[in-house]
């Protein structure tokens, strides 16, 4: 067992940490307040090679693997969870399924520009009536000559309205079960594609979340991803890895909150000494650190398993479940360490606490992770 990051992984971690501090952090609070997405930050991430981090050079990537990917998401989220999820959705939800299920032509046409940051990607699965219950989706895709015609609408789409390419799921047959779902690569410029209402959210406010609509949207047959009827499995396999990206985001948020709490506890004096010297506070900091480290190890382990071609769905569900809960606990305690000041926008911990909440919800609520984990346990896998 080796817990040491490789030289390359350490280098990527340091590069992203510096980038996060210098480029992302200075505007994080302001972008959160204004609910403003900054495409320039995405373009700068592309210049650093982050937008194609795990993919091979053949597809415009940096060939750096999944451990480097989670390190990058963690470092970005440590200063700005919105930037973390922008990259996580782009890489693990939009690019990953093309990398794994796309044919060579689709990889050249879409994966490469996604990796190079010329395109921003998104994943359009959830519908108003089909959240946790994916198979109950209503969006349809009907064959018409060389095309499919998509009709329906999706909600809560991360990078919605800003993305150039969407991995969209629709029913290609009328049966109610999951076997009727297929996956498509949809360009934002296709006729009949519209981005709708932008959500006003509690957290990750500079990451746009919108509705997307398909109104007789014509998608060429060559843009179907995988086989007809394979969409549900594509979505599930995509989420297996995506969930670990959210775990990494949660670890980053929690670490950012702990960093702030430690600094503040050393500086703030009450009863004649820094509050860090009161056990009520120092024990909180210790508990926070323990939770973060456990979440981090689960997250790195799941990434390592994926990188080494081992099954990782169970490990990702564990990491997302634990890290999401840890982020919520740690950020709530960070606000407590700051007392009244923590409740104001003068300090970043209230933002971390608002951002942490979504990590328990998106890419499968933590209750869904428990279904995935317990199904695995009970089936003996
Ligand atoms: N990999 C491969 N196949 C899988 C799989 C996986 N991880 N999970 C399930 N399957 C297969 C099953 O083996 C089964 O196959 P067969 O029919 O051949 O036997 C089939 O899929 C159906 O499986 P289930 O009966 O378990 O399916 P279900 O309908 O009961 O659903 C679920 C299972 C775990 C609840 C699933 O629906 C689920 O994960 N729901 C949560 C959805 C979710 O995570 N949404 C997030 C939206 S994206 C988002 O949030 C993005 C964002 O913007 C940041």
């Amino acid at each position: 067992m080796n817990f040491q990051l490789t030289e390359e992984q350490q280098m990527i971690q340091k590069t992203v940490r510096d980038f996060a501090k210098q480029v992302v952090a200075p505007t994080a609070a302001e972008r959160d307040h204004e609910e403003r997405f900054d495409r320039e930050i995405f373009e700068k991430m592309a210049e650093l090679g982050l937008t194609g981090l795990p993919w091979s050079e053949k597809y415009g990537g940096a060939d750096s693997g999944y451990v480097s990917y989670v390190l990058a998401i963690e470092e970005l989220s440590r200063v700005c969870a919105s930037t973390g999820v922008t990259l996580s959705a782009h890489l693990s939800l939009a690019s990953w399924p093309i990398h794994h299920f796309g044919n060579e032509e689709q990889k050249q046409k879409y994966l490469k520009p996604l990796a190079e940051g010329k395109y921003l990607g998104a994943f359009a699965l959830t519908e108003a009536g089909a959240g946790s219950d994916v198979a109950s989706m209503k969006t349809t895709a009907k064959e018409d000559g060389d095309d499919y015609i998509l009709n329906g609408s999706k909600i809560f789409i991360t990078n919605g309205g800003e993305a150039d390419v969407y991995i969209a799921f629709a029913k290609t047959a009328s049966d109610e079960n999951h076997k009727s779902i297929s996956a498509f690569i949809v360009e934002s410029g296709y006729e009949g594609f519209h981005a709708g209402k932008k959500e006003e959210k509690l957290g990750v406010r500079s990451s746009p979340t919108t509705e997307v609509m398909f109104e007789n949207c014509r998608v060429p047959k060559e843009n179907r991803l995988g086989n007809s009827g394979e969409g549900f499995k594509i979505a599930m396999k995509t989420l297996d890895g995506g969930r670990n990206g959210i775990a990494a985001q949660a670890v980053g948020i929690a670490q950012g909150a702990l960093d702030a709490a430690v600094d503040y506890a050393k500086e703030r004096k009450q009863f004649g000494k820094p509050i860090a010297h009161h056990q009520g506070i120092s024990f909180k900091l210790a508990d926070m650190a323990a939770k973060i480290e456990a979440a981090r190890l689960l997250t790195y382990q799941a990434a390592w398993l994926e990188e080494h071609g081992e099954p990782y769905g169970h490990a990702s569900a564990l990491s997302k479940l634990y890290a999401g809960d840890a982020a919520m606990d740690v950020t709530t305690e960070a606000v407590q360490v700051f007392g009244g000041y923590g409740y104001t926008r003068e300090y970043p911990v209230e933002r971390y606490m608002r951002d942490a909440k979504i990590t328990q919800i998106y890419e499968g609520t933590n209750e869904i992770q428990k279904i995935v984990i317990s199904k695995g346990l009970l089936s003996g896998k």
Side-chain angles (χ1 to χ4, degrees):
M1 203 179 294
N2 182 358
F3 287 97
Q4 187 102 45
L5 296 177
T6 65
E7 260 178 49
E8 187 197 357
Q9 288 160 351
Q10 289 178 44
M11 197 263 290
I12 290 171
Q13 186 183 46
K14 182 175 180 326
T15 305
V16 184
R17 187 172 293 166
D18 293 345
F19 171 79
K21 264 194 204 145
Q22 287 154 21
V23 179
V24 183
T27 56
E30 175 192 309
R31 284 182 286 106
D32 167 76
H33 184 51
E34 296 170 0
E35 299 188 288
R36 178 167 56 81
F37 173 73
D38 186 347
R39 181 84 181 214
E40 232 178 84
I41 292 181
F42 178 74
E43 281 157 12
K44 287 183 179 156
M45 290 198 284
E47 282 166 26
L48 276 189
L50 302 183
T51 49
L53 203 55
W55 322 131
S56 66
E57 286 168 17
K58 185 177 168 195
Y59 302 121
D63 214 357
S64 298
Y66 294 104
V67 173
S68 296
Y69 158 65
V70 294
L71 292 171
I73 301 296
E74 178 186 339
E75 291 303 329
L76 294 169
S77 305
R78 194 166 168 179
V79 303
C80 174
S82 296
T83 304
V85 75
T86 298
L87 185 65
S88 179
H90 171 81
L91 277 173
S92 61
L93 297 184
S95 311
W96 190 95
I98 304 178
H99 186 262
H100 282 73
F101 295 98
N103 55 38
E104 192 53 34
E105 217 174 286
Q106 290 170 336
K107 288 182 188 176
Q108 288 301 334
K109 189 166 176 195
Y110 295 108
L111 182 61
K112 201 160 183 282
L114 282 163
E116 290 165 351
K118 291 181 181 136
Y119 288 164
L120 172 65
F123 183 77
L125 179 71
T126 302
E127 297 183 3
S132 295
D133 182 9
V134 173
S136 67
M137 71 173 61
K138 296 280 179 262
T139 298
T140 56
K142 293 212 158 48
E143 287 189 58
D144 185 46
D146 292 337
D147 303 322
Y148 282 95
I149 299 185
L150 268 61
N151 276 294
S153 61
K154 303 282 177 180
I155 59 163
F156 300 154
I157 308 308
T158 299
N159 295 340
E162 298 289 344
D164 308 284
V165 168
Y166 294 74
I167 305 300
F169 296 85
K171 292 212 156 176
T172 38
S174 53
D175 346 357
E176 282 301 306
N177 71 28
H178 66 83
K179 292 192 172 115
S180 55
I181 297 172
S182 301
F184 300 91
I185 306 170
V186 179
E187 295 181 25
S188 60
Y190 286 169
E191 214 180 314
F193 173 90
H194 313 280
K197 181 173 76 100
K198 185 175 164 196
E199 301 296 342
E200 290 174 21
K201 305 190 305 261
L202 175 72
V204 288
R205 286 162 54 89
S206 64
S207 152
T209 305
T210 71
E211 196 179 359
V212 301
M213 281 96 79
F214 307 102
E215 284 170 358
N216 291 324
C217 178
R218 210 168 258 282
V219 177
K221 276 192 174 156
E222 69 242 26
N223 278 30
R224 195 187 65 220
L225 196 56
N227 296 322
S228 181
E230 211 186 357
F232 186 86
K233 288 200 180 171
I234 292 177
M236 290 301 114
K237 281 181 183 274
T238 302
L239 286 164
D240 277 346
R243 286 168 180 161
N244 201 40
I246 300 308
Q249 184 199 23
V251 172
I253 295 169
Q255 185 64 55
L258 178 61
D259 296 342
V262 166
D263 287 350
Y264 185 77
K266 287 199 286 193
E267 186 187 287
R268 169 82 171 161
K269 288 198 179 104
Q270 289 291 274
F271 304 105
K273 56 184 179 181
I275 59 169
H277 296 170
H278 294 289
Q279 216 170 53
I281 298 298
S282 62
F283 276 20
K284 269 192 205 308
L285 299 174
D287 284 340
M288 289 155 82
K291 282 184 185 163
I292 295 171
E293 205 50 40
R296 178 176 287 124
L297 288 173
L298 284 172
T299 305
Y300 291 4
Q301 175 183 251
W304 186 94
L305 289 170
E306 181 168 11
E307 192 159 308
H308 288 80
E310 300 286 341
Y312 58 91
H314 184 79
S316 283
L318 285 171
S319 67
K320 162 132 179 4
L321 171 64
Y322 189 83
D325 287 349
M328 201 62 241
D329 290 349
V330 166
T331 55
T332 306
E333 285 295 68
V335 171
Q336 194 69 19
V337 170
F338 276 76
Y341 290 108
Y343 203 65
T344 71
R345 290 223 320 259
E346 193 177 330
Y347 289 97
V349 283
E350 61 83 31
R351 171 164 56 89
Y352 287 117
M353 184 175 151
R354 288 187 284 104
D355 288 345
K357 185 63 202 163
I358 194 61
T359 68
Q360 296 177 306
I361 299 173
Y362 57 20
E363 299 207 29
T365 61
N366 278 7
E367 291 71 23
I368 289 293
Q369 307 314 314
K370 289 179 192 180
I371 293 180
V372 172
I373 295 162
S374 58
K375 267 191 184 173
L377 291 175
L378 298 170
S379 70
K381 277 185 209 157

